[in-house]
Amino acid sequence: MVLDERSLRDELKPAMEVRRFLGKALEELGGGATGGAQSAHLRLKLLTEAWSADRAKEQGNPGDPSPTAHSGSSIRQTLRSCFFSQGYYFQLLAGLKRIGAADDRLYDSAAALAQDVLRPAERDANNRSFFFAIGQAHAARLFPHLPEAESWNRYAEAVWSDWYDPGDCYEPGYVAHNIKQVIELGLILGKEAELRSAKAAAAYRRYREQISPTGLAVQPGDGGHQAAYVDALALMAEVTGDGTFLWAAQQALFAGGYGGYYNAEGRRLSAAEAAGAYRHKLEPFRALGVEPAMPPAAGGIQHMYPCTYRIADRLILNASMEQGKPYAAFYVNDRMETLHHAHEDNRGELYHYEADGVMYLSRTGWHKWAGQTNTFVVGDMAAEFPFCYSSGLRRNRWYKASANMRMLRDYMASERYEQLYATPESFRHAGEPVSGDETMKPLPHFFKDRLSPYGVFISNPEGMAGKNEVLTIRDVTISINTFVRGGKHRFPNSIPWYREYREAAPADGPVELLLSRLHIAGPKGMLRLIDPDTLLEGLKVDFYEDGKKGTPEERRALTPDEESRYVSVVRDERTGTKALKVICPPGRIDLTWGGMEHEVHLTDGYQRIGFDYMYISDVSEFLRTPIRLMVNGMTCRSMYIDHQQGGVLRESASEMQGQDSYGSMRYEGVYTHDSHWTRQTLLTEEGYLLVVDRFAPGAEADGMAGGPVWQLPRLDEQGVFWFDMTADAQRGKKLTVYFHPQRGRQYGVQFQPKLWHDKAYAVYDKAVFEAGREETFVSVMVPHDADVSGAAVSGKSHYHSRLVGPGEDSQGIVTEVSPDGTVTVRLLPSAEWRVAPIELTLRKDGGWRVIRGS
């Protein structure tokens, strides 16, 4: 390897992503190539010199007040904020020292750098904390003579305990970004015994089971494709000596880039490539006495925190790990949130479905809204379905807003975890710092552990532990944001919103709307928080001008004249009830009702909070409502009001019969507090997948609409109620999605451009709900060869507007729903599709069977 110092110096830019520069150095150091260590040393040396130059220039300068997670205004600022960069820098220095390649000058400069950039930072079991802790654990050992070394080590030990004590990570949207790092942290801290413990092994198995028989995996949040699992699984094999982890690493390695992420069109490794990759990456483990061994089937309900909290997280259908066997996985978790790179509204989502080694359906990237994933969607019957792209709200129509209040469990202070009202000095990677007091709206998400005061949490760990279920509601705020179309300011200036990639209610002037029926609801029914006759009593109105930050300093209480101009009580002529009329000029208006004292249990008592609203002003351009709900000043990124899924998981189950698998999940209080949803699914040995959704709408869902949605990467052919797409052109495989035809249903397709340039077609089966009348939806997924048409697989030609023509009820896909809710699906041969006959039966009580050759 020829060292090119000039080109490396050219890479060093003030606002560069330092993590990539250091990541390359780590690859060079561990790659075994001639000159790799020298190149890694040069990168570290040049970066350290750049930090030193920045420090000299910034002496006395506080620096960038709002660095992002991965870059600041200078290399020094980036090193002070970026968790990846801190972890990589000191991993690299430790590796160079281990081989005797770190000279004294670099060592001394790195010690000064450590004193400048390292502070006890984020806590809790997530990838940011792990990288920060790796950097500080290494620094404490590299520079034990420094006075900060003890503090660095205590912080690293605390982060380790955040993972090991509960025995898992609360970051379901990541895989590759966390488990490898926590194992590395444990090795630095000398936790070999804990890393080999039954508690740790139970957490490792969760990741192993996310690898399919052909090495495919889907990371449902931010991350990479299945190749990113390789190093983590290999490290698990190394610390445990368990060959099943090495087998899973091998399968993921051979899968290469196939399966995709961010619209990737990858491929599996060829036999020659696989052999070479294995020798380079995994062969050394055999010298340690670890041999690959096929693990048992992964099928069943998988739990987060398997030895402590046991939170049902995923349903995996997998009867065998033999090559090419079918595999499907659904989310069942009812408590995810975007703070940890997943999303709260992913219940029941099918995020991975494959057969014969072909990925048919998957989740690519993290999407925040149910309508963009493979799950069940409910919305207003007049709204664009399943997701609002071009048509949204209507004026003079009442809408029901409802959000999941249970998420506040993770953001409430408790006796052990103290709420902080200012960004700690050590917490540099979350954007512009905030400061204030308990009157801030919304309150910042910072918590300090009184028993282990090293670093800061951005959620309360007791929420996950089920110890933070009781909330005393003292005040409720409806925060309405309006910004001018084409103006210089955007509403996130006034209140933190997260990844709002949909345009949200640009306006040509003030926006006028009515509000009514502010309530909480759950198993105990509905509780009105405000009497219609006393809407103005106890109401406090605050205003933030357009473009101003949502800080106490920028907050302005309206004068009596302004308040009467913007807020008044009117009577809605259609309902005969009183409502609050609000005129929102550009900026943010907070309506806060105080003086409450409602103690509620967030699962067994009241789970949702909501209100009704109606726009009077023109909403022809509105796609969604920029309104936030706050309780006692608390809100969170996923607390949206536009038909949030929510819901409590009350039951999940799975079982196998031979090579066929069944699973189910049942949610209460989903979409509305009085509606319930059950999803049942059956995966056959042949790879056929049946999903049955049963939705029981309550009175709050009367007149709403919904149904199952499936994301197809491309669409080739369709009928009235079936859709066909190419899943893998090289392998000649297609997939037919078939909905059971029923009177009054709408079957459709929506083109969906999404986050990360991900594009797909959402196909759906939609019904309008009537309170008390359960609706059953049947979705059948049938993989087939590309030389067979979708029409032949479905067996339905839709001739002359017939849904099912004469003779078509005995060919292709035939479905039936009996009065008692039993679903029967038969796959029968047609002239073109020579399928072996098979019958699937799924009863409402969970009974099921598969009969072949019928």
Side-chain angles (χ1 to χ4, degrees):
M1 178 182 294
V2 179
L3 300 183
D4 186 351
E5 182 171 338
R6 181 174 179 178
S7 65
L8 290 180
R9 285 187 183 277
D10 288 343
E11 288 185 39
L12 296 169
K13 308 292 183 185
M16 66 180 289
E17 284 207 0
V18 172
R19 60 173 176 162
R20 304 195 188 283
F21 190 83
L22 289 171
K24 181 65 175 175
L26 281 171
E27 290 177 11
E28 292 169 344
L29 181 63
T34 303
Q38 293 92 324
S39 180
H41 179 273
L42 178 58
R43 283 180 178 271
L44 194 64
K45 171 178 171 288
L46 294 176
L47 189 71
T48 306
E49 290 174 354
W51 158 82
S52 182
D54 286 342
R55 184 180 62 163
K57 285 189 294 186
E58 296 168 4
Q59 205 70 23
N61 185 336
D64 186 355
S66 56
T68 67
H70 305 307
S71 64
S73 58
S74 70
I75 287 173
R76 179 188 182 224
Q77 292 301 320
T78 300
L79 283 166
R80 288 162 67 89
S81 67
C82 178
F83 44 93
F84 285 117
S85 298
Q86 288 187 18
Y88 289 166
Y89 184 96
F90 293 100
Q91 275 184 313
L92 185 58
L93 182 62
L96 290 170
K97 184 182 179 185
R98 191 163 49 247
I99 63 174
D103 58 78
D104 291 343
R105 183 176 178 183
L106 175 59
Y107 181 80
D108 292 341
S109 296
L113 183 150
Q115 290 178 297
D116 181 50
V117 307
L118 297 183
R119 301 287 188 279
E122 186 172 347
R123 286 281 299 279
D124 213 344
N126 64 57
N127 75 301
R128 299 177 298 275
S129 302
F130 297 154
F131 275 104
F132 280 133
I134 284 172
Q136 296 188 36
H138 275 307
R141 283 147 186 79
L142 288 163
F143 314 114
H145 59 285
L146 294 180
E148 296 88 350
E150 182 178 355
S151 172
W152 294 335
N153 196 63
R154 286 183 177 178
Y155 167 71
E157 288 277 359
V159 171
W160 162 262
S161 296
D162 292 338
W163 179 79
Y164 186 72
D165 290 352
D168 210 346
C169 299
Y170 172 31
E171 198 160 22
Y174 274 163
V175 174
H177 287 186
N178 56 33
I179 190 64
K180 176 175 179 283
Q181 279 68 47
V182 79
I183 297 173
E184 291 174 334
L185 176 62
L187 292 172
I188 300 166
L189 298 175
K191 308 293 185 182
E192 286 83 357
E194 290 92 334
L195 289 169
R196 291 192 296 268
S197 68
K199 180 193 281 189
Y204 302 156
R205 285 193 293 273
R206 208 162 62 79
Y207 299 93
R208 185 193 69 194
E209 290 169 358
Q210 292 163 16
I211 303 293
S212 77
T214 51
L216 305 186
V218 175
Q219 291 194 67
D222 184 23
H225 47 69
Q226 57 271 352
Y229 282 73
V230 176
D231 289 340
L233 290 164
L235 193 52
M236 293 174 200
E238 181 178 347
V239 298
T240 64
D242 186 338
T244 62
F245 295 112
L246 190 60
W247 182 91
Q250 169 187 293
Q251 296 300 99
L253 177 65
F254 295 166
Y258 184 79
Y261 189 65
Y262 300 163
N263 277 343
E265 294 289 343
R267 62 176 181 83
R268 297 178 182 277
L269 300 186
S270 66
E273 289 172 320
Y278 184 86
R279 284 193 301 272
H280 171 70
K281 206 165 192 70
L282 301 180
E283 185 70 35
F285 291 94
R286 305 188 75 167
L288 302 175
V290 184
E291 294 284 345
M294 182 184 293
I301 302 297
Q302 189 183 83
H303 293 84
M304 292 174 63
Y305 305 96
C307 295
T308 53
Y309 313 147
R310 287 190 62 78
I311 298 170
D313 186 48
R314 308 184 189 206
L315 163 66
I316 297 177
L317 304 181
N318 168 227
S320 171
M321 292 302 287
E322 294 179 10
Q323 186 77 16
K325 290 294 185 180
Y327 178 102
F330 295 78
Y331 268 133
V332 298
N333 197 320
D334 68 4
R335 56 176 305 145
M336 291 182 293
E337 208 273 336
T338 51
L339 180 62
H340 297 272
H341 297 288
H343 188 251
E344 203 278 323
D345 276 357
N346 290 339
R347 288 164 187 77
E349 179 193 359
L350 173 62
Y351 71 88
H352 182 162
Y353 165 43
E354 69 167 275
D356 297 321
V358 173
M359 186 74 83
Y360 286 101
L361 294 177
S362 67
R363 190 180 207 226
T364 55
W366 90 70
H367 305 304
K368 298 195 301 175
W369 299 278
Q372 292 187 329
T373 60
N374 300 311
T375 188
F376 195 85
V377 180
V378 174
D380 189 276
M381 67 177 296
E384 187 177 7
F385 192 84
F387 190 79
C388 293
Y389 279 102
S390 60
S391 64
L393 302 171
R394 297 182 180 181
R395 66 189 304 182
N396 299 322
R397 178 182 178 84
W398 278 105
Y399 290 91
K400 296 175 181 178
S402 179
N404 182 9
M405 195 165 58
R406 293 178 71 225
M407 290 188 295
L408 296 181
R409 295 172 299 178
D410 296 331
Y411 304 101
M412 295 157 47
S414 60
E415 184 175 343
R416 176 173 174 179
Y417 293 92
E418 174 189 2
Q419 169 79 54
L420 303 179
Y421 303 113
T423 305
E425 192 275 335
S426 62
F427 195 86
R428 298 188 177 104
H429 66 282
E432 190 164 353
V434 297
S435 62
D437 54 30
E438 64 276 4
T439 69
M440 295 177 68
K441 291 184 185 297
L443 290 177
H445 293 159
F446 297 119
F447 301 89
K448 183 177 181 179
D449 184 354
R450 289 185 171 94
L451 299 183
S452 179
Y454 308 101
V456 61
F457 294 78
I458 52 178
S459 64
N460 187 336
E462 291 187 343
M464 290 301 294
K467 300 177 183 178
N468 223 22
E469 290 276 357
V470 178
L471 167 67
T472 299
I473 300 175
R474 296 189 170 89
D475 62 68
V476 174
T477 300
I478 297 178
S479 182
I480 306 169
N481 291 252
T482 303
F483 64 96
V484 178
R485 184 196 331 274
K488 295 180 180 179
H489 304 299
R490 289 175 54 82
F491 69 92
N493 287 325
S494 64
I495 188 170
W497 289 65
Y498 185 64
R499 296 187 184 275
E500 278 300 326
Y501 289 97
R502 280 188 283 174
E503 194 163 27
D508 292 320
V511 173
E512 190 173 344
L513 72 161
L514 302 183
L515 300 173
S516 73
R517 210 174 62 117
L518 178 62
H519 65 273
I520 55 176
K524 289 192 174 182
M526 180 180 290
L527 174 65
R528 288 281 193 102
L529 296 176
I530 305 296
D531 188 301
D533 293 323
T534 59
L535 279 168
L536 294 179
E537 293 183 18
L539 174 63
K540 183 173 181 287
V541 184
D542 291 312
F543 180 65
Y544 302 81
E545 292 181 7
D546 182 25
K548 298 290 187 180
K549 300 169 187 174
T551 61
E553 295 78 20
E554 302 286 358
R555 182 174 58 213
R556 180 168 70 83
L558 296 179
T559 66
D561 282 349
E562 288 175 320
E563 189 166 321
S564 62
R565 190 183 334 141
Y566 293 141
V567 181
S568 59
V569 175
V570 299
R571 184 175 295 277
D572 177 48
E573 296 179 358
R574 280 153 295 195
T575 63
T577 59
K578 293 182 179 179
L580 193 70
K581 179 180 178 181
V582 184
I583 299 174
C584 311
R588 164 185 163 192
I589 280 185
D590 282 2
L591 309 170
T592 301
W593 287 269
M596 302 178 186
E597 195 71 20
H598 301 293
E599 185 178 280
V600 301
H601 192 284
L602 291 171
T603 296
D604 299 333
Y606 297 94
Q607 303 161 356
R608 303 181 75 93
I609 182 167
F611 56 91
D612 294 351
Y613 64 98
M614 179 173 70
Y615 279 94
I616 301 171
S617 53
D618 182 14
V619 294
S620 59
E621 300 296 332
F622 286 19
L623 291 180
R624 73 191 303 269
T625 312
I627 297 178
R628 267 280 158 85
L629 269 170
M630 303 179 215
V631 178
N632 301 346
M634 296 181 294
T635 190
C636 57
R637 290 170 172 175
S638 286
M639 203 165 168
Y640 300 117
I641 65 165
D642 48 352
H643 306 304
Q644 191 172 27
Q645 193 181 36
V648 179
L649 178 68
R650 290 303 188 189
E651 181 181 285
S652 58
S654 69
E655 63 183 53
M656 289 185 289
Q657 296 176 10
Q659 294 292 299
D660 304 314
S661 304
Y662 165 80
S664 67
M665 59 210 79
R666 179 173 62 85
Y667 299 95
E668 292 184 358
V670 66
Y671 288 104
T672 70
H673 80 280
D674 54 358
S675 297
H676 311 302
W677 167 45
T678 298
R679 169 160 278 190
Q680 298 173 296
T681 183
L682 198 165
L683 178 65
T684 74
E685 182 179 4
E686 296 82 358
Y688 307 132
L689 182 66
L690 167 63
V691 179
V692 175
D693 291 299
R694 306 179 193 273
F695 188 74
E700 282 293 292
D702 188 63
M704 296 177 73
V709 176
W710 309 108
Q711 304 288 325
L712 307 184
R714 58 195 63 81
L715 199 60
D716 300 329
E717 187 183 3
Q718 69 182 79
V720 173
F721 50 83
W722 58 264
F723 304 86
D724 194 65
M725 66 124 182
T726 298
D728 188 325
Q730 289 187 333
R731 291 168 176 256
K733 290 293 183 180
K734 302 181 81 172
L735 178 73
T736 295
V737 177
Y738 183 101
F739 296 115
H740 173 59
Q742 299 185 67
R743 183 177 299 170
R745 292 287 177 84
Q746 177 183 327
Y747 307 94
V749 58
Q750 181 186 56
F751 175 61
Q752 286 199 352
K754 302 186 184 75
L755 191 62
W756 308 124
H757 308 291
D758 179 23
K759 297 180 180 180
Y761 293 84
V763 301
Y764 58 85
D765 175 358
K766 174 184 171 185
V768 176
F769 299 129
E770 179 183 318
R773 186 184 73 192
E774 183 176 271
E775 295 282 353
T776 300
F777 301 82
V778 180
S779 305
V780 187
M781 282 74 152
V782 178
H784 62 94
D785 292 337
D787 59 1
V788 179
S789 69
V793 172
S794 73
K796 310 297 178 287
S797 62
H798 305 301
Y799 175 72
H800 203 267
S801 300
R802 291 179 184 270
L803 287 181
V804 179
E808 292 183 339
D809 55 359
S810 62
Q811 64 182 23
I813 305 171
V814 178
T815 54
E816 178 185 346
V817 179
S818 66
D820 66 359
T822 298
V823 172
T824 303
V825 176
R826 295 191 300 277
L827 304 185
L828 303 170
S830 62
E832 186 181 342
W833 188 42
R834 309 309 299 170
V835 66
I838 186 171
E839 181 178 289
L840 317 180
T841 302
L842 208 166
R843 297 199 310 268
K844 194 172 180 179
D845 64 5
W848 62 283
R849 66 180 182 181
V850 178
I851 300 175
R852 293 174 172 85
S854 58

